[in-house]
Amino acid sequence: MSPQTKNSPIAQMPLAAPTAAEAREFVDAAENRLLDLWTKQQRAQWVQETFITDDTELMAAEADEAVKAATSELAAQVHRFEELELAEDVERKLKLLKLSVAIPAPRDPALGSELSQISASLQSDYGKAKWYPNGPSGECLSLNDMEHILAHSRDPRELANIWEGWHGLARSMRERFSRMVDLANKGARETGFADVGAMWRSNYDMPPEAFAAEMDRLWQQVRPLYVSLHAYMRWRLAEKYGEEIVPNDGPIPAHLLGNMWAQSWENVYPLASPPNADPGYDLTQILKARNFNSAEMVKYGERFFQSLGFDPLPQTFWERSMFTRPRDRDVVCHASAWDIDFVDDLRIKMCIEPTADDFATIHHELGHSFYQRACAQQPPLLRNGANDGFHEAIGDTIALSVTPEYLAQIGLLESVPPPSTDIGLLMIRALEKVAFLPFGLLVDKWRWGVFSGAVSPENYNQAWWDLRREYQGVTPPVERSESDFDPGAKYHVAGNVPYARYFLAAVLQFQFHRALCGVAGCEGPLHRASIYNNKLAGAELKRMLEMGQSAPWPEALETLTGETEMDATAMLDYFAPLKTWLDEQNKGRHVGW
């Protein structure tokens, strides 16, 4: 036993006849201990992801191991208090303590160390990954380079080659990922869960099986909209590439949709743009024409939050964040927001380019930052989103207010395009938001199957593509086998980040947007409404954010929306004009796959 553990109030606590007072003492001491370890872990992981070396990988693994070991030790003691009548806040903290790590470590220190080393190595491998299309002595392409080609090339052979090159890099992760599953499941069982998937699904203030059903219910609400968009995109792509490449009644080849994972399709808008529906502007071209640097783009996002009544970000945010890809070292470019000390050491990490997509992503990441600061007055175990979908939804809610009207207000547009352009505007947004829905659902459906054993290592890849065909209606551009590990080509799988949150956020952001626009008194269609510069809407948003995770998420949802159930009808309302138009365009054509 380490000196820290031996001398802690937790270790000295009597083992017999626990009381409610001891439970509070236990959870208070646990929070203080974990807060210190979380902060050290954040610092180590920040250095690892922004300066990838063998040494920083080891540092991150050691910090991660310390958090997992402490959480495992503390979680094992929670059962002593589970039969007691406890204060509501203590009971909630004890539950959240057990759920506070995504990948729980086994109690055996050697196995815990192995798990942390595997986790750190998978993240580093993803960040360092580069593809050499002409062999090791030739040109190398980063993920950013390959994403740029996928976004702009219209050569199906080149697109397939790029797609295959990136996905092939994940093969080396397969064996380590399988071992990680075994170790994490052992940790989950020792914490009282059937497996890691059941543990993840327990983090939503409802039984695991009820949460899975809730995901399916929301999917059924939005599926008709997705299927209409899919059918339209398929026949437009067939017009471009021919039916021998894009069949008129089957799945769409994944490499043709402008994104490495076919999870968002806005890059192929030029191939699907409605006739006579030119939005009248191209935000990417505006940003490039004005030579905006990355910090200036982030300033626009900060000013939006300030217009709602939020305080500006601390100076350290601007000094410590990473806005561009360094030229002298490997980094993880995947955009993320960081709360290093869980108070006000806020940062974002991005490799920002002057594009409309990155402009929206900045708002998304800043949503995390302002949420993190708003709930910083809560006790450590409650300094989180009402659920993780809430945390992901806040910045995207703000981004929904980045309308032509808003862009004109801040001087990026000279005039607001007329309502006749609305189908084009809605199509661009649907190719981002609606296209994402099934991918947001299936990533964790696959992992839930992996963790439960329903998906075995022998059929990892087959199960992945079965789900992608079933939910997304996409297929790989080239033959795949079980020597491949295509799930690992997605950061969140390599980085062990639960993904259901993004599906929930895709739904919640429209529910939040509708409610906030109501508070702001917005007039006109929902897709043209913006809460920019509305302090009433900002006050209501801040009130919910300050709750953190102190209450079950339905209470936080009710605080902002007056509703206690997640509901996709706001998304359907938002895209209603587009759905009507899509169904007209698809008449006489095959819908579904």
Side-chain angles (χ1 to χ4, degrees), residues 556-582:
L557 182 64
E558 187 175 25
T559 296
L560 182 60
T561 68
E563 302 162 326
T564 58
E565 185 177 73
M566 291 183 284
D567 180 21
T569 60
M571 187 180 209
L572 301 181
D573 290 348
Y574 187 98
F575 288 108
L578 179 66
K579 176 65 163 64
T580 299
W581 184 86
L582 287 170

PDB file of all heavy atoms in Angstrom, residues 556-582:
ATOM      1  N   ALA A 556     -32.406  18.618 -15.392  1.00  0.00           N
ATOM      2  CA  ALA A 556     -31.677  19.664 -16.112  1.00  0.00           C
ATOM      3  C   ALA A 556     -32.379  19.997 -17.423  1.00  0.00           C
ATOM      4  O   ALA A 556     -32.491  21.172 -17.809  1.00  0.00           O
ATOM      5  CB  ALA A 556     -30.244  19.207 -16.376  1.00  0.00           C
ATOM      6  N   LEU A 557     -32.850  18.967 -18.113  1.00  0.00           N
ATOM      7  CA  LEU A 557     -33.572  19.186 -19.369  1.00  0.00           C
ATOM      8  C   LEU A 557     -34.821  20.027 -19.135  1.00  0.00           C
ATOM      9  O   LEU A 557     -35.122  20.956 -19.890  1.00  0.00           O
ATOM     10  CB  LEU A 557     -33.944  17.834 -19.986  1.00  0.00           C
ATOM     11  CG  LEU A 557     -34.669  17.876 -21.335  1.00  0.00           C
ATOM     12  CD1 LEU A 557     -33.776  18.488 -22.410  1.00  0.00           C
ATOM     13  CD2 LEU A 557     -35.121  16.469 -21.744  1.00  0.00           C
ATOM     14  N   GLU A 558     -35.537  19.722 -18.059  1.00  0.00           N
ATOM     15  CA  GLU A 558     -36.758  20.466 -17.751  1.00  0.00           C
ATOM     16  C   GLU A 558     -36.442  21.919 -17.414  1.00  0.00           C
ATOM     17  O   GLU A 558     -37.224  22.825 -17.734  1.00  0.00           O
ATOM     18  CB  GLU A 558     -37.486  19.793 -16.594  1.00  0.00           C
ATOM     19  CG  GLU A 558     -38.853  20.397 -16.299  1.00  0.00           C
ATOM     20  CD  GLU A 558     -39.616  19.636 -15.231  1.00  0.00           C
ATOM     21  OE1 GLU A 558     -38.967  18.964 -14.396  1.00  0.00           O
ATOM     22  OE2 GLU A 558     -40.860  19.691 -15.223  1.00  0.00           O
ATOM     23  N   THR A 559     -35.299  22.157 -16.769  1.00  0.00           N
ATOM     24  CA  THR A 559     -34.910  23.525 -16.426  1.00  0.00           C
ATOM     25  C   THR A 559     -34.841  24.411 -17.665  1.00  0.00           C
ATOM     26  O   THR A 559     -35.254  25.573 -17.640  1.00  0.00           O
ATOM     27  CB  THR A 559     -33.535  23.517 -15.717  1.00  0.00           C
ATOM     28  OG1 THR A 559     -33.656  22.807 -14.486  1.00  0.00           O
ATOM     29  CG2 THR A 559     -33.051  24.929 -15.431  1.00  0.00           C
ATOM     30  N   LEU A 560     -34.344  23.860 -18.756  1.00  0.00           N
ATOM     31  CA  LEU A 560     -34.173  24.655 -19.966  1.00  0.00           C
ATOM     32  C   LEU A 560     -35.366  24.565 -20.909  1.00  0.00           C
ATOM     33  O   LEU A 560     -35.771  25.568 -21.503  1.00  0.00           O
ATOM     34  CB  LEU A 560     -32.914  24.204 -20.715  1.00  0.00           C
ATOM     35  CG  LEU A 560     -32.570  24.981 -21.985  1.00  0.00           C
ATOM     36  CD1 LEU A 560     -32.332  26.457 -21.667  1.00  0.00           C
ATOM     37  CD2 LEU A 560     -31.341  24.387 -22.668  1.00  0.00           C
ATOM     38  N   THR A 561     -35.944  23.376 -21.045  1.00  0.00           N
ATOM     39  CA  THR A 561     -36.943  23.166 -22.100  1.00  0.00           C
ATOM     40  C   THR A 561     -38.370  22.993 -21.587  1.00  0.00           C
ATOM     41  O   THR A 561     -39.310  23.056 -22.386  1.00  0.00           O
ATOM     42  CB  THR A 561     -36.597  21.913 -22.926  1.00  0.00           C
ATOM     43  OG1 THR A 561     -36.761  20.735 -22.110  1.00  0.00           O
ATOM     44  CG2 THR A 561     -35.157  21.976 -23.433  1.00  0.00           C
ATOM     45  N   GLY A 562     -38.514  22.727 -20.282  1.00  0.00           N
ATOM     46  CA  GLY A 562     -39.838  22.413 -19.759  1.00  0.00           C
ATOM     47  C   GLY A 562     -40.249  20.979 -20.028  1.00  0.00           C
ATOM     48  O   GLY A 562     -41.354  20.564 -19.687  1.00  0.00           O
ATOM     49  N   GLU A 563     -39.365  20.196 -20.622  1.00  0.00           N
ATOM     50  CA  GLU A 563     -39.644  18.801 -20.971  1.00  0.00           C
ATOM     51  C   GLU A 563     -38.718  17.886 -20.176  1.00  0.00           C
ATOM     52  O   GLU A 563     -37.604  18.276 -19.824  1.00  0.00           O
ATOM     53  CB  GLU A 563     -39.429  18.580 -22.471  1.00  0.00           C
ATOM     54  CG  GLU A 563     -40.286  19.473 -23.338  1.00  0.00           C
ATOM     55  CD  GLU A 563     -39.780  19.590 -24.769  1.00  0.00           C
ATOM     56  OE1 GLU A 563     -38.542  19.569 -24.968  1.00  0.00           O
ATOM     57  OE2 GLU A 563     -40.617  19.711 -25.668  1.00  0.00           O
ATOM     58  N   THR A 564     -39.155  16.672 -19.905  1.00  0.00           N
ATOM     59  CA  THR A 564     -38.347  15.722 -19.146  1.00  0.00           C
ATOM     60  C   THR A 564     -37.903  14.529 -19.992  1.00  0.00           C
ATOM     61  O   THR A 564     -37.279  13.611 -19.481  1.00  0.00           O
ATOM     62  CB  THR A 564     -39.118  15.200 -17.920  1.00  0.00           C
ATOM     63  OG1 THR A 564     -40.334  14.583 -18.360  1.00  0.00           O
ATOM     64  CG2 THR A 564     -39.435  16.336 -16.952  1.00  0.00           C
ATOM     65  N   GLU A 565     -38.205  14.543 -21.268  1.00  0.00           N
ATOM     66  CA  GLU A 565     -37.851  13.438 -22.158  1.00  0.00           C
ATOM     67  C   GLU A 565     -37.120  13.980 -23.370  1.00  0.00           C
ATOM     68  O   GLU A 565     -37.515  15.001 -23.942  1.00  0.00           O
ATOM     69  CB  GLU A 565     -39.118  12.699 -22.614  1.00  0.00           C
ATOM     70  CG  GLU A 565     -38.851  11.458 -23.442  1.00  0.00           C
ATOM     71  CD  GLU A 565     -40.136  10.718 -23.808  1.00  0.00           C
ATOM     72  OE1 GLU A 565     -40.882  11.227 -24.676  1.00  0.00           O
ATOM     73  OE2 GLU A 565     -40.390   9.642 -23.228  1.00  0.00           O
ATOM     74  N   MET A 566     -36.035  13.324 -23.750  1.00  0.00           N
ATOM     75  CA  MET A 566     -35.356  13.698 -24.983  1.00  0.00           C
ATOM     76  C   MET A 566     -36.296  13.462 -26.158  1.00  0.00           C
ATOM     77  O   MET A 566     -37.001  12.448 -26.213  1.00  0.00           O
ATOM     78  CB  MET A 566     -34.057  12.889 -25.135  1.00  0.00           C
ATOM     79  CG  MET A 566     -32.991  13.271 -24.127  1.00  0.00           C
ATOM     80  SD  MET A 566     -31.416  12.379 -24.330  1.00  0.00           S
ATOM     81  CE  MET A 566     -31.846  10.771 -23.655  1.00  0.00           C
ATOM     82  N   ASP A 567     -36.301  14.401 -27.093  1.00  0.00           N
ATOM     83  CA  ASP A 567     -37.318  14.387 -28.131  1.00  0.00           C
ATOM     84  C   ASP A 567     -36.725  14.898 -29.436  1.00  0.00           C
ATOM     85  O   ASP A 567     -36.196  16.013 -29.484  1.00  0.00           O
ATOM     86  CB  ASP A 567     -38.498  15.266 -27.690  1.00  0.00           C
ATOM     87  CG  ASP A 567     -39.609  15.310 -28.708  1.00  0.00           C
ATOM     88  OD1 ASP A 567     -39.679  14.399 -29.556  1.00  0.00           O
ATOM     89  OD2 ASP A 567     -40.404  16.268 -28.661  1.00  0.00           O
ATOM     90  N   ALA A 568     -36.832  14.109 -30.491  1.00  0.00           N
ATOM     91  CA  ALA A 568     -36.254  14.488 -31.782  1.00  0.00           C
ATOM     92  C   ALA A 568     -37.214  15.300 -32.637  1.00  0.00           C
ATOM     93  O   ALA A 568     -36.864  15.648 -33.769  1.00  0.00           O
ATOM     94  CB  ALA A 568     -35.819  13.234 -32.541  1.00  0.00           C
ATOM     95  N   THR A 569     -38.409  15.627 -32.136  1.00  0.00           N
ATOM     96  CA  THR A 569     -39.340  16.377 -32.980  1.00  0.00           C
ATOM     97  C   THR A 569     -38.809  17.769 -33.311  1.00  0.00           C
ATOM     98  O   THR A 569     -39.156  18.335 -34.350  1.00  0.00           O
ATOM     99  CB  THR A 569     -40.725  16.506 -32.321  1.00  0.00           C
ATOM    100  OG1 THR A 569     -40.598  17.199 -31.065  1.00  0.00           O
ATOM    101  CG2 THR A 569     -41.355  15.148 -32.096  1.00  0.00           C
ATOM    102  N   ALA A 570     -37.945  18.340 -32.439  1.00  0.00           N
ATOM    103  CA  ALA A 570     -37.367  19.643 -32.759  1.00  0.00           C
ATOM    104  C   ALA A 570     -36.480  19.538 -34.001  1.00  0.00           C
ATOM    105  O   ALA A 570     -36.465  20.437 -34.848  1.00  0.00           O
ATOM    106  CB  ALA A 570     -36.571  20.178 -31.579  1.00  0.00           C
ATOM    107  N   MET A 571     -35.749  18.445 -34.131  1.00  0.00           N
ATOM    108  CA  MET A 571     -34.927  18.234 -35.320  1.00  0.00           C
ATOM    109  C   MET A 571     -35.818  18.060 -36.545  1.00  0.00           C
ATOM    110  O   MET A 571     -35.531  18.602 -37.628  1.00  0.00           O
ATOM    111  CB  MET A 571     -34.044  16.996 -35.124  1.00  0.00           C
ATOM    112  CG  MET A 571     -33.021  16.777 -36.225  1.00  0.00           C
ATOM    113  SD  MET A 571     -32.025  15.296 -35.913  1.00  0.00           S
ATOM    114  CE  MET A 571     -30.482  15.739 -36.713  1.00  0.00           C
ATOM    115  N   LEU A 572     -36.908  17.328 -36.389  1.00  0.00           N
ATOM    116  CA  LEU A 572     -37.830  17.125 -37.501  1.00  0.00           C
ATOM    117  C   LEU A 572     -38.493  18.442 -37.892  1.00  0.00           C
ATOM    118  O   LEU A 572     -38.684  18.715 -39.087  1.00  0.00           O
ATOM    119  CB  LEU A 572     -38.883  16.083 -37.123  1.00  0.00           C
ATOM    120  CG  LEU A 572     -38.355  14.704 -36.733  1.00  0.00           C
ATOM    121  CD1 LEU A 572     -39.507  13.755 -36.395  1.00  0.00           C
ATOM    122  CD2 LEU A 572     -37.495  14.108 -37.846  1.00  0.00           C
ATOM    123  N   ASP A 573     -38.837  19.272 -36.905  1.00  0.00           N
ATOM    124  CA  ASP A 573     -39.396  20.596 -37.204  1.00  0.00           C
ATOM    125  C   ASP A 573     -38.396  21.436 -37.995  1.00  0.00           C
ATOM    126  O   ASP A 573     -38.764  22.115 -38.962  1.00  0.00           O
ATOM    127  CB  ASP A 573     -39.754  21.328 -35.905  1.00  0.00           C
ATOM    128  CG  ASP A 573     -40.940  20.726 -35.183  1.00  0.00           C
ATOM    129  OD1 ASP A 573     -41.643  19.889 -35.790  1.00  0.00           O
ATOM    130  OD2 ASP A 573     -41.154  21.074 -34.001  1.00  0.00           O
ATOM    131  N   TYR A 574     -37.156  21.403 -37.560  1.00  0.00           N
ATOM    132  CA  TYR A 574     -36.100  22.207 -38.176  1.00  0.00           C
ATOM    133  C   TYR A 574     -35.950  21.852 -39.659  1.00  0.00           C
ATOM    134  O   TYR A 574     -35.822  22.731 -40.517  1.00  0.00           O
ATOM    135  CB  TYR A 574     -34.798  21.955 -37.423  1.00  0.00           C
ATOM    136  CG  TYR A 574     -33.624  22.812 -37.815  1.00  0.00           C
ATOM    137  CD1 TYR A 574     -33.294  23.942 -37.079  1.00  0.00           C
ATOM    138  CD2 TYR A 574     -32.819  22.483 -38.903  1.00  0.00           C
ATOM    139  CE1 TYR A 574     -32.194  24.731 -37.416  1.00  0.00           C
ATOM    140  CE2 TYR A 574     -31.726  23.257 -39.254  1.00  0.00           C
ATOM    141  CZ  TYR A 574     -31.423  24.379 -38.504  1.00  0.00           C
ATOM    142  OH  TYR A 574     -30.338  25.146 -38.845  1.00  0.00           O
ATOM    143  N   PHE A 575     -35.955  20.546 -39.948  1.00  0.00           N
ATOM    144  CA  PHE A 575     -35.709  20.093 -41.316  1.00  0.00           C
ATOM    145  C   PHE A 575     -36.989  19.779 -42.088  1.00  0.00           C
ATOM    146  O   PHE A 575     -36.915  19.208 -43.193  1.00  0.00           O
ATOM    147  CB  PHE A 575     -34.814  18.846 -41.302  1.00  0.00           C
ATOM    148  CG  PHE A 575     -33.380  19.131 -40.937  1.00  0.00           C
ATOM    149  CD1 PHE A 575     -32.866  18.737 -39.709  1.00  0.00           C
ATOM    150  CD2 PHE A 575     -32.550  19.808 -41.810  1.00  0.00           C
ATOM    151  CE1 PHE A 575     -31.551  18.993 -39.376  1.00  0.00           C
ATOM    152  CE2 PHE A 575     -31.225  20.074 -41.489  1.00  0.00           C
ATOM    153  CZ  PHE A 575     -30.725  19.669 -40.269  1.00  0.00           C
ATOM    154  N   ALA A 576     -38.149  20.135 -41.564  1.00  0.00           N
ATOM    155  CA  ALA A 576     -39.415  19.790 -42.215  1.00  0.00           C
ATOM    156  C   ALA A 576     -39.490  20.258 -43.670  1.00  0.00           C
ATOM    157  O   ALA A 576     -39.908  19.484 -44.559  1.00  0.00           O
ATOM    158  CB  ALA A 576     -40.587  20.336 -41.411  1.00  0.00           C
ATOM    159  N   PRO A 577     -39.093  21.504 -43.992  1.00  0.00           N
ATOM    160  CA  PRO A 577     -39.161  21.910 -45.404  1.00  0.00           C
ATOM    161  C   PRO A 577     -38.276  21.047 -46.303  1.00  0.00           C
ATOM    162  O   PRO A 577     -38.653  20.737 -47.439  1.00  0.00           O
ATOM    163  CB  PRO A 577     -38.681  23.365 -45.379  1.00  0.00           C
ATOM    164  CG  PRO A 577     -38.901  23.832 -43.974  1.00  0.00           C
ATOM    165  CD  PRO A 577     -38.658  22.617 -43.126  1.00  0.00           C
ATOM    166  N   LEU A 578     -37.107  20.663 -45.797  1.00  0.00           N
ATOM    167  CA  LEU A 578     -36.209  19.827 -46.587  1.00  0.00           C
ATOM    168  C   LEU A 578     -36.786  18.429 -46.769  1.00  0.00           C
ATOM    169  O   LEU A 578     -36.685  17.853 -47.861  1.00  0.00           O
ATOM    170  CB  LEU A 578     -34.837  19.744 -45.917  1.00  0.00           C
ATOM    171  CG  LEU A 578     -33.806  18.875 -46.650  1.00  0.00           C
ATOM    172  CD1 LEU A 578     -33.445  19.489 -48.001  1.00  0.00           C
ATOM    173  CD2 LEU A 578     -32.554  18.680 -45.805  1.00  0.00           C
ATOM    174  N   LYS A 579     -37.384  17.877 -45.727  1.00  0.00           N
ATOM    175  CA  LYS A 579     -37.962  16.523 -45.835  1.00  0.00           C
ATOM    176  C   LYS A 579     -39.042  16.498 -46.917  1.00  0.00           C
ATOM    177  O   LYS A 579     -39.092  15.568 -47.743  1.00  0.00           O
ATOM    178  CB  LYS A 579     -38.551  16.102 -44.487  1.00  0.00           C
ATOM    179  CG  LYS A 579     -39.272  14.740 -44.481  1.00  0.00           C
ATOM    180  CD  LYS A 579     -38.321  13.595 -44.753  1.00  0.00           C
ATOM    181  CE  LYS A 579     -38.892  12.236 -44.350  1.00  0.00           C
ATOM    182  NZ  LYS A 579     -40.072  11.832 -45.110  1.00  0.00           N
ATOM    183  N   THR A 580     -39.891  17.499 -46.952  1.00  0.00           N
ATOM    184  CA  THR A 580     -40.925  17.567 -47.982  1.00  0.00           C
ATOM    185  C   THR A 580     -40.296  17.637 -49.367  1.00  0.00           C
ATOM    186  O   THR A 580     -40.716  16.935 -50.302  1.00  0.00           O
ATOM    187  CB  THR A 580     -41.825  18.800 -47.747  1.00  0.00           C
ATOM    188  OG1 THR A 580     -42.453  18.682 -46.466  1.00  0.00           O
ATOM    189  CG2 THR A 580     -42.886  18.923 -48.828  1.00  0.00           C
ATOM    190  N   TRP A 581     -39.271  18.445 -49.500  1.00  0.00           N
ATOM    191  CA  TRP A 581     -38.593  18.604 -50.784  1.00  0.00           C
ATOM    192  C   TRP A 581     -37.896  17.312 -51.195  1.00  0.00           C
ATOM    193  O   TRP A 581     -37.971  16.891 -52.366  1.00  0.00           O
ATOM    194  CB  TRP A 581     -37.581  19.752 -50.681  1.00  0.00           C
ATOM    195  CG  TRP A 581     -36.899  20.079 -51.964  1.00  0.00           C
ATOM    196  CD1 TRP A 581     -37.335  20.926 -52.954  1.00  0.00           C
ATOM    197  CD2 TRP A 581     -35.645  19.544 -52.422  1.00  0.00           C
ATOM    198  NE1 TRP A 581     -36.431  20.953 -53.985  1.00  0.00           N
ATOM    199  CE2 TRP A 581     -35.382  20.114 -53.688  1.00  0.00           C
ATOM    200  CE3 TRP A 581     -34.728  18.650 -51.881  1.00  0.00           C
ATOM    201  CZ2 TRP A 581     -34.243  19.819 -54.423  1.00  0.00           C
ATOM    202  CZ3 TRP A 581     -33.589  18.345 -52.613  1.00  0.00           C
ATOM    203  CH2 TRP A 581     -33.349  18.919 -53.863  1.00  0.00           C
ATOM    204  N   LEU A 582     -37.214  16.648 -50.245  1.00  0.00           N
ATOM    205  CA  LEU A 582     -36.532  15.393 -50.557  1.00  0.00           C
ATOM    206  C   LEU A 582     -37.507  14.331 -51.048  1.00  0.00           C
ATOM    207  O   LEU A 582     -37.225  13.604 -52.016  1.00  0.00           O
ATOM    208  CB  LEU A 582     -35.789  14.877 -49.319  1.00  0.00           C
ATOM    209  CG  LEU A 582     -34.517  15.612 -48.904  1.00  0.00           C
ATOM    210  CD1 LEU A 582     -34.054  15.122 -47.541  1.00  0.00           C
ATOM    211  CD2 LEU A 582     -33.405  15.438 -49.937  1.00  0.00           C
TER     212      LEU A 582
END
